[in-house]
Amino acid sequence: MAILLKMGSGIHEGYKNYNAVSNVLKYVLRIRKNEDRQNELLAFGGKGVITCYGGKEIINEFLYVQDIYRIDARKGRRMHHEVLSLNNAEFAKLGNDLNVLRMVVEEFCDIYYSQGFQVVYAIHWDREKRLHIHFAINAVNYINGKKFHTSMNETKLREHYFNRIMEKYQNTCMGGVQCI
């Protein structure tokens, strides 16, 4: 079962400063200055953003929504960051197919986007953390300017939805043969 973790505690408490959008997205997309972990990024995409122009444009799109709704005057959190961890067995049930995993993740992103929030995902793999997916969510709703609020129960509910979506795709992947 995949596990969804809400980030933003400790030194990143709340992602409230102006640089939070840039910092989170550059980290997730592995485009920080002097980045030494680009090879961990397997794929990225999003909903409510144009991803083909790259990370800097995605950052500008998030900031544009925040500027329209005057987040500077309202203060508070600018970003939400969640990480979904999968184990090797779960990925194997998807036929070890990155394209199938992308379809699962794109469908999961609809949960945020259907509520009016821009979301960017990045699929990473490294030896220590294995396969995991970052979700960077704009804290400001692009439709009405309201802020994204989430509780631990809501995070667990999203985790449940992700696992249900993944099960749906796993049922189409029998024994590691070609999926879908």
Side-chain angles (χ1 to χ4, degrees):
M1 185 167 143
I3 299 170
L4 185 65
L5 301 172
K6 182 178 176 181
M7 310 305 285
S9 58
I11 61 169
H12 302 294
E13 182 65 39
Y15 298 122
K16 294 178 181 179
N17 67 352
Y18 179 79
N19 293 327
V21 171
S22 178
N23 290 343
V24 171
L25 286 168
K26 285 180 179 181
Y27 170 75
V28 165
L29 297 171
R30 298 296 194 245
I31 58 171
R32 297 172 292 188
K33 188 175 182 178
N34 302 317
E35 180 63 62
D36 61 350
R37 297 167 58 185
Q38 299 99 332
N39 61 332
E40 294 176 1
L41 179 66
L42 301 178
F44 74 94
K47 300 277 181 162
V49 294
I50 301 171
T51 58
C52 63
Y53 297 119
K56 289 182 182 178
E57 187 57 36
I58 294 169
I59 292 166
N60 288 337
E61 290 177 44
F62 271 52
L63 291 173
Y64 181 74
V65 169
Q66 293 184 1
D67 288 346
I68 287 173
Y69 290 108
R70 303 189 61 224
I71 194 170
D72 285 338
R74 294 163 51 196
K75 308 280 186 228
R77 185 182 279 262
R78 290 177 167 269
M79 290 291 294
H80 287 267
H81 180 195
E82 297 180 335
V83 178
L84 189 85
S85 297
L86 282 82
N87 63 40
N88 292 339
E90 291 163 329
F91 188 48
K93 289 178 184 177
L94 295 174
N96 292 313
D97 189 328
L98 183 59
N99 290 323
V100 174
L101 180 59
R102 284 186 78 158
M103 288 189 287
V104 172
V105 173
E106 288 276 343
E107 191 170 329
F108 185 69
C109 285
D110 287 338
I111 294 169
Y112 303 106
Y113 186 66
S114 67
Q115 296 175 40
F117 296 97
Q118 296 166 298
V119 59
V120 170
Y121 71 85
I123 301 171
H124 293 180
W125 185 90
D126 67 49
R127 290 179 191 260
E128 294 170 11
K129 297 177 188 169
R130 306 288 177 170
L131 190 63
H132 58 281
I133 302 120
H134 292 263
F135 297 95
I137 306 107
N138 195 341
V140 178
N141 185 301
Y142 66 87
I143 297 169
N144 58 24
K146 292 183 178 179
K147 299 288 282 289
F148 181 86
H149 296 283
T150 189
S151 67
M152 186 56 79
N153 287 339
E154 291 167 322
T155 302
K156 287 294 177 194
L157 186 60
R158 281 191 301 281
E159 178 182 277
H160 174 74
Y161 287 151
F162 183 86
N163 283 300
R164 294 281 307 269
I165 293 166
M166 198 159 68
E167 285 173 13
K168 178 178 79 173
Y169 283 88
Q170 288 171 343
N171 290 335
T172 64
C173 299
M174 301 299 185
V177 296
Q178 185 63 37
C179 301
I180 301 184

